[in-house]
Amino acid sequence: KATMGIYESDGYRWIRLLDHFGFGGILADEMGLGKTLQAISVLAACKAENGHCHTLVVTPASLVYNWCEEIHRFAPKLQAAPVSGTQTERQLILEKQGDYDILVTSYDLLKRDIDQYDALKFDFQILDEAQYIKNQRTMNAISTKRLKSQYALALTGTPIENSLAELWSIFDFLMPGYLFDYRYFSQNFEKEIMLKKNKDLQERLKKMVQPFILRRVKKDVLKELPEKTETTLSVAMNEEEENLYMANLAQVNAKLQEETGIEKANRFQILGMLIRLRQICCDPRLIYDNIATPSSKLKACLELVKTLVDNNKSVLLFSNFTSMLDLIQVELHNLHTPYFR
């Protein structure tokens, strides 16, 4: 259900080639160049050829439902399920994991559920926004490296710029031991290259990692790109938000039933009720003063903004509610992200 560009077909073949020889890889195309589609095409082909493609996708929380929607859109024969919701709901999904081709979870939920994954073995494991494991000491990195699979793929549009330790951590997920253990790598590569500017070692490391990294930028494939790309991200409410929303919805329904008929109901009153529900969806703090933490939607928004900023993108952010901009402004300030309102 998609027409792939030449560069996307090349990416598909590159992933399949690495898979054939038992290697992992980093698909590092710039943001917006279809890394998700290329990965899904590989999974669809493997399901068609082998009858199965038991896969775990780990992604930022804001993209969990987007992955499921993209799989359904581009490869409807693949059965995908989000491992989300309450702990009980997630456990039920994992217990029935054999009913699905693809499980999609977030880095945060994987950390909480990691013990339940110890008994599972996947054909593929895919890390989206793999820069989330660039620090080897974090639970993000530790938990993803406990997963067991036949093939590993990392997707990231963020160039590795800060330190070679980030490169080592992602390769430690893909092919443990290929870049040696970290102590050896740090002494013999990282310090020699970063501190002593050893060009020979830099060239040696480049030759070692280059076959396993594929990066294209937009200027290279401009002729193949559509004029613009629209993506709808679905964000699930947490349990408290959902309870709050349903309680308000019940009030709205009760109020409407009090009216003699919807035709005679006060239009402005109905509009006010609907706006209140929309505000709860954005962030319950727009209405309630006794809530301290940002909403699921605001967290997803900030996650997306951070990814875009890390990729040197500029962002134009709109909201229907100026009070929502107040909350966003506070969070951007806390993240030390420069902004203009």
Side-chain angles (χ1 to χ4, degrees), residues 181-202:
D181 63 49
Y182 182 64
R183 179 179 293 181
Y184 182 91
F185 180 82
S186 177
Q187 290 292 335
N188 295 278
F189 285 92
E190 187 176 16
K191 290 180 180 178
E192 290 290 326
I193 294 172
M194 301 302 290
L195 298 179
K196 300 181 182 179
K197 310 299 181 186
N198 188 318
K199 297 294 184 183
D200 292 336
L201 271 178
Q202 183 176 330

PDB file of all heavy atoms in Angstrom, residues 181-202:
ATOM      1  N   ASP A 181      34.985  -4.959  24.197  1.00  0.00           N
ATOM      2  CA  ASP A 181      34.284  -4.464  25.390  1.00  0.00           C
ATOM      3  C   ASP A 181      34.617  -2.980  25.542  1.00  0.00           C
ATOM      4  O   ASP A 181      35.558  -2.465  24.934  1.00  0.00           O
ATOM      5  CB  ASP A 181      34.671  -5.260  26.636  1.00  0.00           C
ATOM      6  CG  ASP A 181      36.155  -5.145  26.992  1.00  0.00           C
ATOM      7  OD1 ASP A 181      36.681  -4.021  27.033  1.00  0.00           O
ATOM      8  OD2 ASP A 181      36.791  -6.187  27.229  1.00  0.00           O
ATOM      9  N   TYR A 182      33.818  -2.282  26.368  1.00  0.00           N
ATOM     10  CA  TYR A 182      33.957  -0.823  26.388  1.00  0.00           C
ATOM     11  C   TYR A 182      35.306  -0.364  26.929  1.00  0.00           C
ATOM     12  O   TYR A 182      35.861   0.629  26.451  1.00  0.00           O
ATOM     13  CB  TYR A 182      32.829  -0.170  27.195  1.00  0.00           C
ATOM     14  CG  TYR A 182      32.958   1.333  27.168  1.00  0.00           C
ATOM     15  CD1 TYR A 182      32.834   2.031  25.966  1.00  0.00           C
ATOM     16  CD2 TYR A 182      33.265   2.050  28.319  1.00  0.00           C
ATOM     17  CE1 TYR A 182      32.991   3.401  25.917  1.00  0.00           C
ATOM     18  CE2 TYR A 182      33.422   3.423  28.280  1.00  0.00           C
ATOM     19  CZ  TYR A 182      33.284   4.092  27.074  1.00  0.00           C
ATOM     20  OH  TYR A 182      33.456   5.456  27.018  1.00  0.00           O
ATOM     21  N   ARG A 183      35.848  -1.076  27.919  1.00  0.00           N
ATOM     22  CA  ARG A 183      37.138  -0.661  28.475  1.00  0.00           C
ATOM     23  C   ARG A 183      38.217  -0.659  27.391  1.00  0.00           C
ATOM     24  O   ARG A 183      38.979   0.300  27.256  1.00  0.00           O
ATOM     25  CB  ARG A 183      37.539  -1.590  29.626  1.00  0.00           C
ATOM     26  CG  ARG A 183      38.890  -1.225  30.238  1.00  0.00           C
ATOM     27  CD  ARG A 183      39.238  -2.146  31.401  1.00  0.00           C
ATOM     28  NE  ARG A 183      38.331  -1.952  32.530  1.00  0.00           N
ATOM     29  CZ  ARG A 183      38.424  -2.608  33.673  1.00  0.00           C
ATOM     30  NH1 ARG A 183      39.379  -3.524  33.828  1.00  0.00           N
ATOM     31  NH2 ARG A 183      37.574  -2.377  34.640  1.00  0.00           N
ATOM     32  N   TYR A 184      38.259  -1.731  26.596  1.00  0.00           N
ATOM     33  CA  TYR A 184      39.247  -1.813  25.514  1.00  0.00           C
ATOM     34  C   TYR A 184      38.978  -0.730  24.462  1.00  0.00           C
ATOM     35  O   TYR A 184      39.902  -0.043  24.002  1.00  0.00           O
ATOM     36  CB  TYR A 184      39.203  -3.188  24.864  1.00  0.00           C
ATOM     37  CG  TYR A 184      40.219  -3.376  23.761  1.00  0.00           C
ATOM     38  CD1 TYR A 184      41.488  -3.880  24.030  1.00  0.00           C
ATOM     39  CD2 TYR A 184      39.917  -3.032  22.439  1.00  0.00           C
ATOM     40  CE1 TYR A 184      42.433  -4.048  23.016  1.00  0.00           C
ATOM     41  CE2 TYR A 184      40.841  -3.187  21.423  1.00  0.00           C
ATOM     42  CZ  TYR A 184      42.104  -3.696  21.727  1.00  0.00           C
ATOM     43  OH  TYR A 184      43.032  -3.843  20.717  1.00  0.00           O
ATOM     44  N   PHE A 185      37.694  -0.560  24.079  1.00  0.00           N
ATOM     45  CA  PHE A 185      37.336   0.429  23.071  1.00  0.00           C
ATOM     46  C   PHE A 185      37.702   1.833  23.534  1.00  0.00           C
ATOM     47  O   PHE A 185      38.236   2.641  22.761  1.00  0.00           O
ATOM     48  CB  PHE A 185      35.834   0.345  22.774  1.00  0.00           C
ATOM     49  CG  PHE A 185      35.364   1.329  21.746  1.00  0.00           C
ATOM     50  CD1 PHE A 185      35.503   1.070  20.392  1.00  0.00           C
ATOM     51  CD2 PHE A 185      34.770   2.530  22.131  1.00  0.00           C
ATOM     52  CE1 PHE A 185      35.071   1.991  19.439  1.00  0.00           C
ATOM     53  CE2 PHE A 185      34.334   3.445  21.196  1.00  0.00           C
ATOM     54  CZ  PHE A 185      34.481   3.170  19.845  1.00  0.00           C
ATOM     55  N   SER A 186      37.426   2.124  24.805  1.00  0.00           N
ATOM     56  CA  SER A 186      37.717   3.451  25.336  1.00  0.00           C
ATOM     57  C   SER A 186      39.209   3.758  25.312  1.00  0.00           C
ATOM     58  O   SER A 186      39.635   4.840  24.892  1.00  0.00           O
ATOM     59  CB  SER A 186      37.181   3.556  26.768  1.00  0.00           C
ATOM     60  OG  SER A 186      37.512   4.806  27.331  1.00  0.00           O
ATOM     61  N   GLN A 187      40.018   2.794  25.740  1.00  0.00           N
ATOM     62  CA  GLN A 187      41.467   3.003  25.805  1.00  0.00           C
ATOM     63  C   GLN A 187      42.099   3.062  24.425  1.00  0.00           C
ATOM     64  O   GLN A 187      42.964   3.903  24.156  1.00  0.00           O
ATOM     65  CB  GLN A 187      42.118   1.869  26.629  1.00  0.00           C
ATOM     66  CG  GLN A 187      41.797   1.914  28.112  1.00  0.00           C
ATOM     67  CD  GLN A 187      42.427   3.103  28.811  1.00  0.00           C
ATOM     68  OE1 GLN A 187      43.439   3.652  28.381  1.00  0.00           O
ATOM     69  NE2 GLN A 187      41.808   3.533  29.914  1.00  0.00           N
ATOM     70  N   ASN A 188      41.673   2.175  23.526  1.00  0.00           N
ATOM     71  CA  ASN A 188      42.382   1.997  22.261  1.00  0.00           C
ATOM     72  C   ASN A 188      41.769   2.722  21.070  1.00  0.00           C
ATOM     73  O   ASN A 188      42.410   2.820  20.019  1.00  0.00           O
ATOM     74  CB  ASN A 188      42.487   0.506  21.939  1.00  0.00           C
ATOM     75  CG  ASN A 188      43.347  -0.238  22.943  1.00  0.00           C
ATOM     76  OD1 ASN A 188      44.570  -0.241  22.867  1.00  0.00           O
ATOM     77  ND2 ASN A 188      42.697  -0.869  23.930  1.00  0.00           N
ATOM     78  N   PHE A 189      40.563   3.216  21.216  1.00  0.00           N
ATOM     79  CA  PHE A 189      39.930   3.954  20.119  1.00  0.00           C
ATOM     80  C   PHE A 189      39.468   5.340  20.563  1.00  0.00           C
ATOM     81  O   PHE A 189      39.921   6.345  20.025  1.00  0.00           O
ATOM     82  CB  PHE A 189      38.734   3.161  19.552  1.00  0.00           C
ATOM     83  CG  PHE A 189      39.135   2.001  18.696  1.00  0.00           C
ATOM     84  CD1 PHE A 189      39.303   0.739  19.256  1.00  0.00           C
ATOM     85  CD2 PHE A 189      39.351   2.159  17.339  1.00  0.00           C
ATOM     86  CE1 PHE A 189      39.671  -0.342  18.476  1.00  0.00           C
ATOM     87  CE2 PHE A 189      39.722   1.089  16.539  1.00  0.00           C
ATOM     88  CZ  PHE A 189      39.887  -0.164  17.115  1.00  0.00           C
ATOM     89  N   GLU A 190      38.560   5.370  21.549  1.00  0.00           N
ATOM     90  CA  GLU A 190      37.928   6.630  21.922  1.00  0.00           C
ATOM     91  C   GLU A 190      38.950   7.681  22.361  1.00  0.00           C
ATOM     92  O   GLU A 190      38.971   8.800  21.830  1.00  0.00           O
ATOM     93  CB  GLU A 190      36.908   6.381  23.046  1.00  0.00           C
ATOM     94  CG  GLU A 190      36.078   7.610  23.374  1.00  0.00           C
ATOM     95  CD  GLU A 190      35.019   7.315  24.419  1.00  0.00           C
ATOM     96  OE1 GLU A 190      35.112   6.270  25.110  1.00  0.00           O
ATOM     97  OE2 GLU A 190      34.109   8.135  24.551  1.00  0.00           O
ATOM     98  N   LYS A 191      39.828   7.330  23.293  1.00  0.00           N
ATOM     99  CA  LYS A 191      40.796   8.305  23.793  1.00  0.00           C
ATOM    100  C   LYS A 191      41.831   8.653  22.732  1.00  0.00           C
ATOM    101  O   LYS A 191      42.246   9.812  22.600  1.00  0.00           O
ATOM    102  CB  LYS A 191      41.476   7.763  25.048  1.00  0.00           C
ATOM    103  CG  LYS A 191      40.547   7.705  26.252  1.00  0.00           C
ATOM    104  CD  LYS A 191      41.238   7.175  27.486  1.00  0.00           C
ATOM    105  CE  LYS A 191      40.266   7.135  28.671  1.00  0.00           C
ATOM    106  NZ  LYS A 191      40.899   6.566  29.887  1.00  0.00           N
ATOM    107  N   GLU A 192      42.253   7.660  21.959  1.00  0.00           N
ATOM    108  CA  GLU A 192      43.255   7.906  20.918  1.00  0.00           C
ATOM    109  C   GLU A 192      42.707   8.825  19.827  1.00  0.00           C
ATOM    110  O   GLU A 192      43.417   9.685  19.316  1.00  0.00           O
ATOM    111  CB  GLU A 192      43.685   6.569  20.290  1.00  0.00           C
ATOM    112  CG  GLU A 192      44.503   5.688  21.209  1.00  0.00           C
ATOM    113  CD  GLU A 192      45.903   6.260  21.447  1.00  0.00           C
ATOM    114  OE1 GLU A 192      46.465   6.878  20.515  1.00  0.00           O
ATOM    115  OE2 GLU A 192      46.426   6.095  22.573  1.00  0.00           O
ATOM    116  N   ILE A 193      41.434   8.652  19.497  1.00  0.00           N
ATOM    117  CA  ILE A 193      40.841   9.446  18.418  1.00  0.00           C
ATOM    118  C   ILE A 193      40.390  10.818  18.918  1.00  0.00           C
ATOM    119  O   ILE A 193      40.682  11.848  18.301  1.00  0.00           O
ATOM    120  CB  ILE A 193      39.652   8.686  17.789  1.00  0.00           C
ATOM    121  CG1 ILE A 193      40.156   7.420  17.071  1.00  0.00           C
ATOM    122  CG2 ILE A 193      38.896   9.586  16.809  1.00  0.00           C
ATOM    123  CD1 ILE A 193      39.049   6.503  16.597  1.00  0.00           C
ATOM    124  N   MET A 194      39.695  10.843  20.050  1.00  0.00           N
ATOM    125  CA  MET A 194      39.116  12.095  20.537  1.00  0.00           C
ATOM    126  C   MET A 194      40.157  13.022  21.169  1.00  0.00           C
ATOM    127  O   MET A 194      40.109  14.231  20.985  1.00  0.00           O
ATOM    128  CB  MET A 194      38.009  11.797  21.558  1.00  0.00           C
ATOM    129  CG  MET A 194      36.870  10.941  21.011  1.00  0.00           C
ATOM    130  SD  MET A 194      36.029  11.645  19.582  1.00  0.00           S
ATOM    131  CE  MET A 194      35.175  13.025  20.342  1.00  0.00           C
ATOM    132  N   LEU A 195      41.101  12.443  21.910  1.00  0.00           N
ATOM    133  CA  LEU A 195      42.087  13.266  22.615  1.00  0.00           C
ATOM    134  C   LEU A 195      43.379  13.457  21.822  1.00  0.00           C
ATOM    135  O   LEU A 195      43.920  14.555  21.750  1.00  0.00           O
ATOM    136  CB  LEU A 195      42.403  12.659  23.985  1.00  0.00           C
ATOM    137  CG  LEU A 195      41.215  12.558  24.958  1.00  0.00           C
ATOM    138  CD1 LEU A 195      41.656  11.907  26.266  1.00  0.00           C
ATOM    139  CD2 LEU A 195      40.619  13.946  25.232  1.00  0.00           C
ATOM    140  N   LYS A 196      43.858  12.384  21.203  1.00  0.00           N
ATOM    141  CA  LYS A 196      45.144  12.448  20.506  1.00  0.00           C
ATOM    142  C   LYS A 196      45.009  12.638  18.998  1.00  0.00           C
ATOM    143  O   LYS A 196      46.014  12.729  18.291  1.00  0.00           O
ATOM    144  CB  LYS A 196      45.956  11.181  20.803  1.00  0.00           C
ATOM    145  CG  LYS A 196      46.259  10.990  22.290  1.00  0.00           C
ATOM    146  CD  LYS A 196      47.083   9.739  22.526  1.00  0.00           C
ATOM    147  CE  LYS A 196      47.346   9.530  24.021  1.00  0.00           C
ATOM    148  NZ  LYS A 196      48.149   8.293  24.277  1.00  0.00           N
ATOM    149  N   LYS A 197      43.752  12.666  18.517  1.00  0.00           N
ATOM    150  CA  LYS A 197      43.484  12.910  17.085  1.00  0.00           C
ATOM    151  C   LYS A 197      44.232  11.919  16.190  1.00  0.00           C
ATOM    152  O   LYS A 197      44.803  12.295  15.157  1.00  0.00           O
ATOM    153  CB  LYS A 197      43.855  14.340  16.699  1.00  0.00           C
ATOM    154  CG  LYS A 197      43.291  15.425  17.603  1.00  0.00           C
ATOM    155  CD  LYS A 197      41.772  15.437  17.611  1.00  0.00           C
ATOM    156  CE  LYS A 197      41.228  16.547  18.507  1.00  0.00           C
ATOM    157  NZ  LYS A 197      39.756  16.503  18.648  1.00  0.00           N
ATOM    158  N   ASN A 198      44.228  10.657  16.577  1.00  0.00           N
ATOM    159  CA  ASN A 198      44.924   9.617  15.820  1.00  0.00           C
ATOM    160  C   ASN A 198      44.150   9.311  14.544  1.00  0.00           C
ATOM    161  O   ASN A 198      43.116   8.649  14.561  1.00  0.00           O
ATOM    162  CB  ASN A 198      45.063   8.365  16.686  1.00  0.00           C
ATOM    163  CG  ASN A 198      45.954   7.299  16.038  1.00  0.00           C
ATOM    164  OD1 ASN A 198      45.869   7.057  14.850  1.00  0.00           O
ATOM    165  ND2 ASN A 198      46.792   6.687  16.861  1.00  0.00           N
ATOM    166  N   LYS A 199      44.659   9.792  13.393  1.00  0.00           N
ATOM    167  CA  LYS A 199      43.957   9.652  12.115  1.00  0.00           C
ATOM    168  C   LYS A 199      43.914   8.199  11.638  1.00  0.00           C
ATOM    169  O   LYS A 199      42.939   7.764  11.027  1.00  0.00           O
ATOM    170  CB  LYS A 199      44.628  10.522  11.051  1.00  0.00           C
ATOM    171  CG  LYS A 199      44.590  12.016  11.348  1.00  0.00           C
ATOM    172  CD  LYS A 199      43.158  12.549  11.325  1.00  0.00           C
ATOM    173  CE  LYS A 199      43.119  14.066  11.530  1.00  0.00           C
ATOM    174  NZ  LYS A 199      41.737  14.578  11.583  1.00  0.00           N
ATOM    175  N   ASP A 200      44.989   7.449  11.889  1.00  0.00           N
ATOM    176  CA  ASP A 200      45.017   6.054  11.446  1.00  0.00           C
ATOM    177  C   ASP A 200      43.943   5.232  12.152  1.00  0.00           C
ATOM    178  O   ASP A 200      43.239   4.433  11.517  1.00  0.00           O
ATOM    179  CB  ASP A 200      46.399   5.444  11.707  1.00  0.00           C
ATOM    180  CG  ASP A 200      47.472   6.061  10.819  1.00  0.00           C
ATOM    181  OD1 ASP A 200      47.112   6.582   9.738  1.00  0.00           O
ATOM    182  OD2 ASP A 200      48.661   6.020  11.196  1.00  0.00           O
ATOM    183  N   LEU A 201      43.817   5.422  13.463  1.00  0.00           N
ATOM    184  CA  LEU A 201      42.788   4.690  14.208  1.00  0.00           C
ATOM    185  C   LEU A 201      41.387   5.150  13.810  1.00  0.00           C
ATOM    186  O   LEU A 201      40.445   4.353  13.752  1.00  0.00           O
ATOM    187  CB  LEU A 201      42.981   4.892  15.709  1.00  0.00           C
ATOM    188  CG  LEU A 201      43.911   3.892  16.420  1.00  0.00           C
ATOM    189  CD1 LEU A 201      44.043   4.237  17.888  1.00  0.00           C
ATOM    190  CD2 LEU A 201      43.393   2.463  16.257  1.00  0.00           C
ATOM    191  N   GLN A 202      41.265   6.445  13.522  1.00  0.00           N
ATOM    192  CA  GLN A 202      39.978   6.965  13.083  1.00  0.00           C
ATOM    193  C   GLN A 202      39.554   6.302  11.778  1.00  0.00           C
ATOM    194  O   GLN A 202      38.399   5.908  11.606  1.00  0.00           O
ATOM    195  CB  GLN A 202      40.068   8.479  12.899  1.00  0.00           C
ATOM    196  CG  GLN A 202      38.746   9.131  12.497  1.00  0.00           C
ATOM    197  CD  GLN A 202      38.853  10.648  12.417  1.00  0.00           C
ATOM    198  OE1 GLN A 202      39.637  11.270  13.127  1.00  0.00           O
ATOM    199  NE2 GLN A 202      38.078  11.241  11.530  1.00  0.00           N
TER     200      GLN A 202
END
